[in-house]
Amino acid sequence: MEQISFTKKLTKNNFTFFVIAVVLFWIKTYAAYQIEFNLGIDNKLQEFLLVINPLSSALFFFGIALLFKKRTKLVMIITNFILSFLLYANIAYYRFFSDFITIPVIMQAKTNAGQLGDSALSLMSPLDVFYFTDFIILIVLALTLFKQTMETNRKSYKIVLLFSITTFLFNLGLAEKDRPQLLTRSFDRNYLVKYLGAYNFTIYDAIQNIRSSSQRALADSSDVTEVENYRKANYAAPNPDYFGKAKGMNVIYISLESFQSFMIDYKMPDGQEVTPFLNSLTRNQNTFYFPNFFHQTGQGKTSDAEFLMENSLYPMSQGAVFVNKAQNTYQAMPAILKGQGYTSAVFHGNYKTFWNRNVMYKAFGYDQFFDAEYYNMTEEDTKNYGLKDKPFFTESMPLLSSLKQPFYTKFITLSNHFPFEMDPGDTDFPAGDTDDQVVNQYFQSAHYMDQALEQFFNDLKASGLYDNTMVVMYGDHYGISENHNDAMSKVLGVDEITPVTNANLQRVPLFIHVPGVTGGIQQQYGGEVDVRPTVLHLLGIDTKDYLEFGSDLLSPTHRNWALFRNGDFMSPDVIQVKGKCYSTLTGELSENAEACSAIQDKVNTELQMSDEIVYKDLLRFYKPEGYTSINPDDYEYLGPKGKTTKNAKTTDSTKTTESD
Ligand code: GP9
Ligand code: MN
């Protein structure tokens, strides 16, 4: 009897419902951490922090419901749904990017809405309903055991809030003990989630973003001086043997989607090469090939790589600079070359709004943007994000040939994109034989891309453009994330993928083909940021007055290291991964604790300087000697049907659009 009335009392109590909500949510979040995320737990303290870190936010958010005298349970259920949705969005995002969603990524979601298609779906599974079990349980409880309407005692809110804050401070205190300056230095998002939890991370992220938008407002021209001094002190002067060797030539950049260097010279078990054409280029006498070259992208993936190439500045540590800073002033490649009489164009078989390209390209000064609207986007010729590489290059040829020379152009390939699936008939190349479908397919799509590139080179020769065109090809970023380490260890024939192996896997190939110039395999270390000065110097344009961070790869004073956006770096002697210093040769932890510190200091300064420019929009206060500023408003990408509109709109002949 007593037992029954006790249970009754409990189920009549909104606070009991609150405790159930918090506990279920806490358990679920912890399970998600264990199942979905690879947070790199190193010690017992971190294990403990992972257990307690969902608690403070669960108390805080579910606690809000206790402010409602009535409908408390309903508010808790809604809160649960919002938080569960956030967690699940992070899970799906992490499955592909090995990273967490940030506020700018959410902003991007709007820009890129509806375009994720196949790859978004392939990241979800019916079993994922597990991440909404507590939501379902709460609804069932509210309709059964807790059916009775009860008023909430608001006093309980204060106690819960106090408890939540105490838990948070306790959590933060322990985290700071293990990782000093966790909040003040910009660590990897993985760290923040590991120490503070996925929900607290989102709050932290929102605060950061509000701060960043106010930074621009507070900046003034005096902020440029420091950056300018740093830049002058770190300028690598051009190599006289190469300076101007490609002067006046056309330039074609090709972004090789998700293409990593381990594929170069890789042979399938039957002896077939995956990328025979690119392999042959590494030995082509007019090609500079850089095997120790690294991508430096963040969450902006392809667009971050583009940003590095065009500006020789680093992308943002979170979010895509293409989306968040498209209103900034830039002094990008197309604008610099415009001053030398070049026309410019981008070719890409996806729609122009993706990655906010149509906005950012105006800021870069691109005359034309041939996006999906210019291509035959038939069912048969498209896959995943857009046009397949073979029809892409074929259909681009007449557009390219129609450009006024000299031209500066960029081709962004697409076929070799996650999940790397091909249509039957697109390739007869064998798949890999690991247990991982994504990795297996990567060989097929990379082979397809290689064939498309060979076809394009042949078309360039046939069109007569080849002998007067410099071609720069680069892998934009990794294709196979750490989630595929098991299969990758089989592919590479190693026991396990260590953090060092993984850092080495961030190599992407760089090819610079210059007709008539002797190239060769170049062992120097470098990254995407270094390509712009290298290319400009080949074109005979000195970069000393530009505010950029790259170092000419062919310069005798090239610095010979490459940083990653998270602050780690690679060099011939030492490499730093997740803050730890290793010997490049052995891959073992370096015995000399100071071995990495010299490069580490430079890396920190450089990222900080680059961020200053990007966050504060400092280029608006600076004009390089001899550079003619462009006005983004002079550009418009109206599509093939837009020609008449454009002519009707303006009579200004200096405006360069599709009608050129
Ligand atoms: C989309 C394509 C792929 O247009 O560039 O982008 P990614 O997902 O690699 O950043
Ligand atoms: Mn990409």
Side-chain angles (χ1 to χ4, degrees):
M1 190 64 209
E2 230 176 60
Q3 178 72 39
I4 291 167
S5 72
F6 179 66
T7 319
K8 261 199 177 153
K9 232 184 185 167
L10 270 186
T11 53
K12 265 193 196 166
N13 190 332
N14 282 340
F15 196 77
T16 316
F17 193 80
F18 166 79
V19 173
I20 296 173
V22 168
V23 171
L24 286 178
F25 184 73
W26 183 5
I27 296 171
K28 173 185 78 180
T29 307
Y30 181 70
Y33 287 169
Q34 291 294 357
I35 301 168
E36 302 285 349
F37 306 130
N38 175 10
L39 295 169
I41 303 295
D42 283 343
N43 57 40
K44 287 262 174 292
L45 178 61
Q46 291 181 11
E47 258 169 50
F48 175 68
L49 284 173
L50 199 66
V51 177
I52 64 158
N53 82 35
L55 182 60
S56 63
S57 26
L59 289 168
F60 181 79
F61 287 112
F62 288 107
I64 293 172
L66 301 173
L67 280 172
F68 292 75
K69 216 168 184 175
K70 291 183 184 144
R71 299 187 183 274
T72 316
K73 284 174 292 211
L74 179 67
V75 178
M76 275 187 235
I77 290 171
I78 294 171
T79 309
N80 178 292
F81 183 77
I82 296 170
L83 293 178
S84 303
F85 185 80
L86 175 68
L87 178 69
Y88 184 61
N90 265 309
I91 289 171
Y93 189 79
Y94 193 93
R95 284 178 187 162
F96 180 42
F97 291 101
S98 294
D99 202 343
F100 297 91
I101 295 180
T102 58
I103 303 290
V105 166
I106 298 171
M107 305 304 213
Q108 260 149 239
K110 230 179 14 193
T111 316
N112 297 339
Q115 302 235 8
L116 281 164
D118 296 358
S119 61
L121 273 181
S122 73
L123 300 171
M124 299 178 193
S125 128
L127 291 177
D128 292 346
V129 87
F130 166 72
Y131 296 115
F132 292 89
T133 352
D134 55 339
F135 171 67
I136 299 163
I137 295 176
L138 289 184
I139 294 179
V140 173
L141 286 178
L143 296 175
T144 54
L145 283 176
F146 289 83
K147 209 166 148 193
Q148 219 166 343
T149 319
M150 278 286 307
E151 283 200 357
T152 304
N153 176 358
R154 285 194 190 153
K155 260 193 211 143
S156 58
Y157 173 70
K158 285 188 192 152
I159 298 163
V160 167
L161 183 68
L162 192 71
F163 194 45
S164 157
I165 294 173
T166 315
T167 323
F168 176 73
L169 291 179
F170 175 65
N171 185 160
L172 183 64
L174 286 180
E176 286 272 341
K177 194 168 163 270
D178 200 55
R179 173 67 57 181
Q181 298 176 299
L182 179 67
L183 293 184
T184 46
R185 287 173 58 191
S186 47
F187 284 110
D188 204 293
R189 275 172 293 285
N190 256 312
Y191 284 43
L192 289 164
V193 174
K194 171 162 84 174
Y195 287 107
L196 301 179
Y199 314 102
N200 287 332
F201 161 70
T202 302
I203 299 173
Y204 169 85
D205 181 49
I207 296 169
Q208 289 284 83
N209 277 288
I210 294 166
R211 227 175 45 186
S212 119
S213 48
S214 58
Q215 272 176 332
R216 184 183 191 273
L218 296 176
D220 64 48
S221 56
S222 65
D223 292 323
V224 178
T225 321
E226 198 190 350
V227 182
E228 209 181 330
N229 292 340
Y230 173 83
R231 159 68 181 138
K232 289 217 165 97
N234 289 281
Y235 162 71
N239 185 334
D241 292 346
Y242 297 116
F243 188 78
K245 280 282 152 37
K247 199 170 175 64
M249 281 189 193
N250 297 314
V251 182
I252 295 178
Y253 273 62
I254 307 176
S255 162
L256 308 176
E257 180 55 50
S258 301
F259 190 64
Q260 291 172 241
S261 297
F262 78 86
M263 290 297 239
I264 296 290
D265 285 332
Y266 191 87
K267 287 199 181 76
M268 302 306 281
D270 66 0
Q272 280 200 73
E273 294 177 42
V274 184
T275 57
F277 174 65
L278 289 176
N279 298 350
S280 73
L281 275 188
T282 66
R283 293 178 279 274
N284 173 292
Q285 68 149 347
N286 298 130
T287 304
F288 297 90
Y289 171 65
F290 299 85
N292 294 314
F293 181 79
F294 297 83
H295 82 83
Q296 297 169 312
T297 58
Q299 291 178 318
K301 308 302 288 283
T302 311
S303 67
D304 277 359
E306 292 182 55
F307 185 76
L308 281 145
M309 294 283 160
E310 307 281 18
N311 301 286
S312 191
L313 296 172
Y314 295 100
M316 291 161 63
S317 59
Q318 51 172 260
V321 62
F322 260 49
V323 174
N324 292 289
K325 302 290 175 187
Q327 308 306 328
N328 279 7
T329 296
Y330 295 104
Q331 285 132 17
M333 280 294 264
I336 295 173
L337 290 174
K338 176 162 258 183
Q340 310 287 320
Y342 279 73
T343 51
S344 55
V346 181
F347 300 78
H348 185 43
N350 188 3
Y351 292 91
K352 63 184 174 189
T353 49
F354 200 94
W355 282 132
N356 204 28
R357 285 184 171 109
N358 56 335
V359 180
M360 194 54 140
Y361 288 167
K362 292 183 191 181
F364 291 173
Y366 266 112
D367 294 330
Q368 288 174 273
F369 180 12
F370 299 110
D371 79 327
E373 285 188 64
Y374 288 82
Y375 297 92
N376 287 320
M377 304 292 282
T378 58
E379 175 78 37
E380 201 197 359
D381 280 350
T382 52
K383 184 85 187 169
N384 210 0
Y385 285 91
L387 195 63
K388 295 175 186 172
D389 293 347
K390 287 184 187 176
F392 167 61
F393 281 118
T394 306
E395 291 182 38
S396 298
M397 267 323 285
L399 298 169
L400 179 69
S401 302
S402 73
L403 293 181
K404 189 169 145 278
Q405 298 187 43
F407 54 68
Y408 169 77
T409 56
K410 165 160 71 181
F411 288 74
I412 307 166
T413 65
L414 269 180
S415 295
N416 191 43
H417 194 286
F418 179 89
F420 311 110
E421 201 187 334
M422 310 292 302
D423 284 331
D426 281 341
T427 181
D428 51 10
F429 197 76
D433 68 346
T434 71
D435 298 331
D436 188 328
Q437 181 77 348
V438 165
V439 173
N440 294 349
Q441 291 173 167
Y442 188 56
F443 295 99
Q444 296 175 302
S445 59
H447 180 77
Y448 173 88
M449 181 183 73
D450 186 69
Q451 288 183 325
L453 292 167
E454 182 169 26
Q455 167 212 306
F456 182 56
F457 268 64
N458 288 335
D459 289 348
L460 283 178
K461 286 177 188 161
S463 72
L465 287 168
Y466 188 77
D467 290 331
N468 191 32
T469 301
M470 163 180 181
V471 182
V472 180
M473 291 192 279
Y474 65 97
D476 62 349
H477 49 76
Y478 68 83
I480 305 293
S481 74
E482 286 177 65
N483 293 335
H484 305 279
N485 274 355
D486 284 348
M488 279 307 288
S489 61
K490 188 167 179 200
V491 168
L492 300 177
V494 295
D495 293 339
E496 60 160 342
I497 304 287
T498 63
V500 171
T501 324
N502 182 59
N504 278 312
L505 276 172
Q506 305 312 307
R507 275 182 173 76
V508 291
L510 171 68
F511 299 87
I512 304 180
H513 177 86
V514 192
V517 175
T518 309
I521 297 183
Q522 309 286 315
Q523 294 295 346
Q524 51 273 42
Y525 275 59
E528 290 168 330
V529 76
D530 298 325
V531 176
R532 184 170 107 163
T534 312
V535 169
L536 283 176
H537 289 168
L538 280 164
L539 292 170
I541 300 161
D542 199 332
T543 59
K544 70 174 187 316
D545 286 319
Y546 286 94
L547 288 189
E548 61 176 25
F549 293 96
S551 141
D552 178 349
L553 293 161
L554 299 172
S555 163
T557 54
H558 173 62
R559 61 187 168 194
N560 219 16
W561 49 259
L563 63 75
F564 294 121
R565 181 57 256 201
N566 68 1
D568 286 340
F569 60 84
M570 309 295 289
S571 82
D573 300 325
V574 281
I575 67 180
Q576 181 168 296
V577 188
K578 297 202 167 143
K580 289 183 186 151
C581 187
Y582 299 84
S583 149
T584 308
L585 195 67
T586 63
E588 301 294 325
L589 272 177
S590 172
E591 277 157 28
N592 174 4
E594 295 297 296
C596 279
S597 58
I599 301 181
Q600 174 72 83
D601 288 347
K602 291 186 191 154
V603 164
N604 289 346
T605 316
E606 184 144 323
L607 284 172
Q608 188 206 328
M609 294 280 166
S610 179
D611 287 349
E612 283 267 300
I613 293 187
V614 172
Y615 283 98
K616 297 186 178 174
D617 188 11
L618 292 185
L619 294 180
R620 70 193 146 131
F621 303 122
Y622 183 80
K623 194 162 103 56
E625 187 99 17
Y627 169 81
T628 315
S629 303
I630 57 111
N631 177 3
D633 295 339
D634 287 346
Y635 302 84
E636 197 82 71
Y637 311 118
L638 298 172
K641 292 187 204 86
K643 288 180 189 170
T644 46
T645 327
K646 181 253 159 187
N647 287 338
K649 199 183 130 198
T650 172
T651 49
D652 181 352
S653 62
T654 60
K655 292 201 175 186
T656 38
T657 65
E658 277 70 19
S659 66
D660 284 348

